[in-house]
Amino acid sequence: MGQPTPAADDGWWRSAVIYQVYVRSFADGDGDGTGDLAGVRARLPYLAELGVDALWFTPWYRSPMKDGGYDVADYRAIDPAFGTLAEAEKLIAEARELGIRTIVDIVPNHVSDQHPWFRAALAGGPERELFHFRPGRGEHGELPPNGWQSEFGGPAWTRLPDGDWYLHLFAPEQPDLNWAHPAVRQEHEDVLRFWFERGVAGVRVDSAALLAKDPELPDVTEGRAPHPYVDRDELHDVYRAWRAVADEYGAVFVGEVWLPDTERFARYLRPDELHTAFNFSFLTCPWDADRLRTSIDDTLAEHAPVGAPATWVLCNHDVTRTVTRYGRADTGFDFATKAFGTPTDLALGARRARAAALLSLALPGAVYVYQGEELGLPEADIPPDRIEDPMHARSGGTDPGRDGCRVPLPWAAGEPHAGFGGDPWLPQPDGWAAYAADRQAEDPGSMLSLYRAAIRLRPEFGDGPLTWLPAPDGVLAFTRADALCVVNLADTPVDLPAHTALLLAGGPLDTAGRLPGDTAVWLRA
């Protein structure tokens, strides 16, 4: 079933360009307004022409979609809105024939409240042991068992009619699993095998540092170590067991690990645990040369002791789009509230996003590209009555949520709904067709053309380490193999270093052949 997965030790994942597919918003094959597997299969030639090595699919499993599919009801079934398991198997095989591997998303911290386990638990069955049910505090149990707060706002506990409370670090529809129970561990190892046997080449692990909980469920207090549910030592036994499964199939892992402690972070990347982890310090870094260089240096340094490759990402389905984020006169941005201090200048943001693309694609390691970044899409304003992200409702409407980066893609400028398919589940802004892929494909100066050229030329940087070059203030310049990358984040043009050829420029040089501000260039030494 599916195509055999190549051995992980061929190292493809160490320098891969991996494209993130948010299926619901990628392409609609049946005209119902929701992206689906048929839409992805139809666009595989586009992805092959883009030049990516793998596709990472956010959850495509059966789900009530209370959190964009991260509330999984059945890991072995495709949600009917997206298609069928047979279609998923065809997609994996067809992509592999084009040289594109498949990575699926696993959400081990929680399941949907519609999952059979949780429904049986609500009925009083022994499945209650698979979750965290507790009596409440107070005279009548009217207070939550502790003061833990949900990642989406509000208490991390919901009370049931029988008086007990259950834990959910995210939405109430996403009850947390009890990872101290052997059945939970066995089920996830079985799910991994299920997808590896269908030709999946890797797994992205959602909220990878949150699974294990202190059995006493103590309150979170400042300075408390270890944390009652973040980065607990017993997690590493879980990932060692997972790695043994992956090694049977030659598959790889990438973990979503948010940790400020670089030494603790690196422990997840030891040779018998996860292969890679997302680099959030680079993603959240403002457009500032010194801070970006520090982020790059720190990232490479924290990966070096365990021999793991770094990963670089500018955007994903949870983050305000790059063009909008960078389109500001100042550098401050609050990722918690998505609040901007100054109005967004999309032209400025686009220049910086082009430069950032060349920077990230020149760095050693793997690069993740979120769908639509190659089109230069900005963040969309979603009317409040159309927002579906639970973060919006849980915040009382103060947080706009993440739907602005999840708007369905524009494919064809002259077609209804910009060629996405049916009337999209999230509204496309006026003028969205201006970003359409077919229009950009014909424009050598477009964002799409830049991404295609950069991915094609990326091997010029080889597999070797990065060496920084002397550069003026506000400029990043480094070499790898026989190629140079220069990024000017300053306001004034700068002279280029000595080189033999211009490989690729994020924008035109000035009349004196200098590199303008907010522009990057690749050179051959």
Side-chain angles (χ1 to χ4, degrees):
M1 57 183 67
Q3 297 295 310
T5 304
D9 60 10
D10 68 3
W12 69 269
W13 45 279
R14 290 184 166 272
S15 59
V17 177
I18 300 167
Y19 187 93
Q20 181 187 353
V21 179
Y22 191 80
V23 178
R24 198 176 183 188
S25 297
F26 185 73
D28 172 17
D30 62 9
D32 66 355
T34 296
D36 48 37
L37 301 189
V40 179
R41 291 174 63 200
R43 299 294 178 179
L44 284 176
Y46 167 88
L47 295 165
E49 187 171 1
L50 184 59
V52 299
D53 300 297
L55 305 178
W56 157 36
F57 290 90
T58 53
W60 54 13
Y61 316 107
R62 187 183 296 276
S63 168
M65 296 293 167
K66 298 297 184 181
D67 182 26
Y70 282 88
D71 49 321
V72 178
D74 185 351
Y75 266 117
R76 296 173 178 83
I78 300 296
D79 193 89
F82 300 151
T84 66
L85 180 59
E87 283 184 282
E89 291 172 345
K90 288 180 181 178
L91 171 54
I92 293 166
E94 290 167 356
R96 191 67 189 89
E97 288 171 1
L98 293 172
I100 301 174
R101 295 168 169 87
T102 297
I103 297 172
V104 296
D105 216 314
I106 295 294
V107 190
N109 180 70
H110 48 264
V111 293
S112 165
D113 62 355
Q114 300 303 306
H115 191 283
W117 279 1
F118 193 69
R119 296 174 75 173
L122 292 183
E127 289 81 2
R128 282 212 169 198
E129 296 180 2
L130 307 178
F131 300 90
H132 298 279
F133 286 88
R134 294 290 189 279
R137 296 176 297 173
E139 183 179 356
H140 303 291
E142 70 277 9
L143 300 176
N146 62 31
W148 293 4
Q149 295 295 295
S150 162
E151 296 289 320
F152 290 165
W157 295 90
T158 290
R159 196 178 193 188
L160 297 169
D162 65 8
D164 269 357
W165 298 73
Y166 70 88
L167 176 66
H168 52 85
L169 289 181
F170 293 86
E173 296 86 359
Q174 296 169 292
D176 279 37
L177 290 165
N178 174 16
W179 272 87
H181 198 290
V184 172
R185 297 194 178 201
Q186 185 61 56
E187 168 66 2
H188 281 77
E189 291 175 25
D190 291 347
V191 166
L192 292 175
R193 287 192 171 89
F194 179 87
W195 287 106
F196 292 154
E197 288 171 2
R198 281 156 179 79
V200 163
V203 166
R204 181 261 191 185
V205 187
D206 180 71
S207 300
L210 301 184
L211 281 56
K213 313 296 193 292
D214 185 324
E216 301 299 321
L217 301 181
D219 278 319
V220 178
T221 55
E222 183 153 357
R224 180 188 181 93
H227 193 283
Y229 63 82
V230 177
D231 182 35
R232 295 185 60 81
D233 286 343
E234 53 264 43
L235 264 178
H236 297 283
D237 287 339
V238 172
Y239 293 131
R240 289 188 185 97
W242 284 25
R243 179 61 177 261
V245 174
D247 286 349
E248 293 176 25
Y249 297 89
V252 299
F253 291 116
V254 55
E256 183 191 29
V257 183
W258 290 80
L259 291 177
D261 186 324
T262 58
E263 291 185 9
R264 299 287 300 186
F265 172 85
R267 296 176 75 218
Y268 290 84
L269 301 177
R270 290 176 291 195
D272 61 345
E273 295 192 42
L274 305 179
H275 298 76
T276 61
F278 281 139
N279 175 7
F280 291 106
S281 118
F282 185 77
L283 183 153
T284 58
C285 196
W287 190 245
D288 177 88
D290 291 338
R291 292 178 67 176
L292 279 168
R293 176 165 175 169
T294 297
S295 173
I296 293 166
D297 284 341
D298 288 351
T299 296
L300 295 175
E302 69 192 22
H303 285 74
V306 288
T311 64
W312 312 99
V313 59
L314 296 173
C315 188
N316 62 33
H317 63 292
D318 289 331
V319 176
T320 302
R321 282 200 178 271
T322 309
V323 166
T324 299
R325 251 187 13 253
Y326 284 160
R328 306 189 52 230
D330 62 359
T331 57
F333 179 75
D334 184 345
F335 277 83
T337 64
K338 305 175 182 64
F340 291 91
T342 59
T344 296
D345 178 343
L346 291 183
L348 174 66
R351 289 199 304 276
R352 290 175 171 176
R354 292 170 69 91
L358 293 191
L359 171 61
S360 62
L361 286 163
L363 294 170
V367 178
Y368 284 77
V369 178
Y370 177 48
Q371 65 179 41
E373 287 292 289
E374 81 281 12
L375 301 177
L377 296 183
E379 187 81 355
D381 290 325
I382 308 297
D385 64 338
R386 295 292 301 276
I387 294 175
E388 297 200 11
D389 186 356
M391 292 184 73
H392 177 68
R394 296 274 294 178
S395 70
T398 60
D399 189 322
R402 300 160 293 179
D403 287 348
C405 68
R406 301 174 177 183
V407 174
L409 299 189
W411 289 102
E415 295 182 12
H417 313 302
F420 170 72
D423 187 11
W425 69 279
L426 281 176
Q428 294 172 318
D430 292 340
W432 207 237
Y435 298 99
D438 67 342
R439 180 175 292 180
Q440 293 202 38
E442 303 301 321
D443 177 5
S446 69
M447 187 75 82
L448 176 58
S449 293
L450 179 73
Y451 264 90
R452 286 176 172 175
I455 293 171
R456 183 179 70 253
L457 290 168
R458 191 165 181 255
E460 294 274 351
F461 288 93
D463 297 324
L466 175 154
T467 301
W468 292 106
L469 301 175
D473 288 345
V475 176
L476 299 175
F478 61 85
T479 182
R480 293 180 57 220
D482 294 325
L484 288 73
C485 177
V486 184
V487 188
N488 184 7
L489 294 88
D491 295 329
T492 57
V494 296
D495 292 327
L496 296 176
H499 59 282
T500 61
L502 173 65
L503 294 173
L504 185 62
L509 305 181
D510 71 6
T511 54
R514 296 175 300 178
L515 184 65
D518 298 316
T519 308
V521 68
W522 287 358
L523 308 169
R524 183 174 288 125

